[in-house]
Amino acid sequence: MVRPYAMTKGRTRPTGREFDLIALVVSDVVDAMELPVGPEQGLILELCRNNALSVAEIAAEIDLPLGVVRVLLGDLLDAEYIRVSRPVPPALLPDEHILQEVINGLRAL
């Protein structure tokens, strides 16, 4: 068994921005075994190949701590092996009042 600090080379945070638990990760890599990545990163690439998974789902699937998965994802993102869709911040979501008015308008039709 490899210790988490060995997998992350002693890092506790990804090099870029933090990954939200519900951020969706997708990989377009065809064969992860041909890439210069570790076995854990290869597993992440295989899980996310043409299949969007959240950061939390990835951590649960490969049975690694969330912090370790975030560091590994950061390395994969830096190498451009994955794409990450960040969730919409609540401030950018439509107001509940506006949505209720739309529903009422549709019902009136």
Side-chain angles (χ1 to χ4, degrees):
M1 180 175 161
V2 178
R3 296 275 189 202
Y5 64 83
M7 285 183 237
T8 62
K9 300 176 183 139
R11 295 171 293 150
T12 58
R13 297 187 184 272
T15 55
R17 292 179 49 189
E18 287 286 325
F19 292 92
D20 196 314
L21 285 175
I22 59 173
L24 296 177
V25 179
V26 178
S27 170
D28 296 326
V29 172
V30 176
D31 187 9
M33 299 304 167
E34 294 182 9
L35 299 175
V37 296
E40 294 80 13
Q41 290 174 319
L43 184 57
I44 291 171
L45 291 173
E46 290 297 320
L47 283 172
C48 298
R49 182 176 31 184
N50 300 320
N51 182 27
L53 288 176
S54 70
V55 174
E57 289 173 314
I58 294 169
E61 281 289 326
I62 63 175
D63 197 28
L64 285 176
L66 188 58
V68 172
V69 171
R70 285 178 169 161
V71 172
L72 296 176
L73 287 173
D75 293 344
L76 291 172
L77 185 62
D78 290 345
E80 298 181 353
Y81 295 146
I82 60 171
R83 290 179 285 124
V84 179
S85 300
R86 305 201 190 279
V88 177
L92 296 179
L93 293 174
D95 185 26
E96 184 178 336
H97 176 70
I98 293 172
L99 294 175
Q100 189 62 46
E101 290 296 322
V102 169
I103 291 171
N104 291 341
L106 289 172
R107 286 185 183 152
L109 293 174

